[in-house]
Amino acid sequence: MSLETKARICRYAIIAAVIAAWEIVPQLGLVPRLFLPSLSSTLAMLMAHSGDFAVQMLVTLQEVGMALVFACGFGILFGLWVGSTLTVRKALLPVVSALFAVPLVVLYPLFTAWFGIGSASKVVFASVYGLLPTVLGTAAGAQTIDRQLTQAARSMGATRLQQILWVTLPASVPTVLASFRLGGALVIVGVVVAEMMMSSAGIGFLLSKYRTQLNSSGVFAAIILILALAIGFDLAVQAIERRWAGGVRNKAARRPADAP
């Protein structure tokens, strides 16, 4: 049995043990159901109010999608520019690093004052929350590429934007994807936290509502959906990484056959 197979079996065993404990421990009364409802009651709550959960989950997905476009899309391009330009890197990277150290959650009341309590404030807050680590990670990856690649592109008349898109970005894909994974995860966290703090819609709002009602099954049902969203995003990024790695391996395997 290979090491990978053993690791997979161990992982599945841990998941099965957690699921079993989640059902058995509350049923035996070892933990009060107010603190930990059984898995069956949580799933029953999820099914009984599936329509409400679906509507609120759709709101959260829309906000996460819009924030991802800005935080990860703009963050990756900005990070590539900062990391590949020495003057800009020295001027802006310390500023971005300092801002990343600031607990942005305490600034959320300002976002609500500027953009209201609707989706706009949550999208902007989550975008900023995921933007900074995306920029830092991408800039770090852009600094590691071979400078001869950009020099060759410059000598052939490539513009600065063309150098970033066609040279720096392909050479930094592993780091870019890692930054995208981190930034996207923080975007999800930012949206849910913003919905919990001040909102009238979204899965975070639903979680906060059930918490105030002491409805533990509703709280854990909302947590399950949030975990599903985070895991789904992570699996999607892993699929992109595998596809890119497979394409690189295929090109490397064909190269000797194509050589004259």
Side-chain angles (χ1 to χ4, degrees):
M1 185 180 297
S2 65
L3 182 60
E4 183 178 354
T5 303
K6 292 180 180 178
R8 187 183 298 111
I9 293 174
C10 182
R11 182 167 60 248
Y12 291 156
I14 293 174
I15 295 174
V18 170
I19 292 175
W22 189 355
E23 178 63 27
I24 295 172
V25 170
Q27 294 286 4
L28 295 178
L30 300 178
V31 176
R33 297 197 178 191
L34 179 62
F35 300 148
L36 180 65
S38 63
L39 177 60
S40 57
S41 64
T42 301
L43 295 178
M45 178 69 182
L46 189 59
M47 295 300 296
H49 298 81
S50 58
D52 194 16
F53 279 109
V55 170
Q56 303 303 334
M57 190 66 174
L58 182 60
V59 173
T60 299
L61 286 173
Q62 291 174 343
E63 293 171 348
V64 168
M66 289 186 289
L68 276 176
V69 171
F70 180 80
C72 296
F74 177 75
I76 288 172
L77 292 178
F78 186 67
L80 291 172
W81 178 57
V82 171
S84 59
T85 308
L86 180 60
T87 304
V88 177
R89 182 168 68 247
K90 289 184 176 181
L92 296 183
L93 207 55
V95 177
V96 177
S97 300
L99 290 176
F100 185 53
V102 176
L104 295 178
V105 175
V106 301
L107 302 179
Y108 182 67
L110 294 178
F111 288 93
T112 58
W114 295 336
F115 302 100
I117 63 173
S119 295
S121 61
K122 297 163 190 57
V123 171
V124 174
F125 173 73
S127 298
V128 176
Y129 204 71
L131 173 69
L132 299 178
T134 304
V135 171
L136 291 174
T138 306
Q143 296 178 53
T144 62
I145 69 171
D146 189 352
R147 295 296 170 224
Q148 293 182 354
L149 297 175
T150 55
Q151 291 175 1
R154 192 181 305 113
S155 66
M156 290 185 287
T159 64
R160 188 64 185 144
L161 181 59
Q162 290 173 332
Q163 294 174 34
I164 292 175
L165 293 179
W166 302 112
V167 179
T168 307
L169 177 58
S172 308
V173 166
T175 308
V176 167
L177 289 176
S179 303
F180 177 63
R181 174 182 289 180
L182 176 60
L186 290 180
V187 163
I188 296 173
V189 172
V191 168
V192 173
V193 168
E195 290 175 346
M196 291 177 62
M197 293 177 65
M198 190 178 299
S199 178
S200 58
I203 198 67
F205 160 75
L206 210 57
L207 190 154
S208 183
K209 184 183 79 170
Y210 286 131
R211 176 180 56 83
T212 58
Q213 296 174 352
L214 298 180
N215 188 336
S216 300
S217 297
V219 170
F220 277 85
I223 291 174
I224 287 177
L225 293 179
I226 296 170
L227 289 175
L229 176 59
I231 292 172
F233 172 78
D234 189 70
L235 291 176
V237 177
Q238 289 184 33
I240 296 173
E241 290 177 337
R242 288 194 298 269
R243 187 175 182 84
W244 176 82
V248 171
R249 287 194 297 267
N250 291 336
K251 288 182 180 179
R254 289 196 301 265
R255 190 170 299 160
D258 295 339

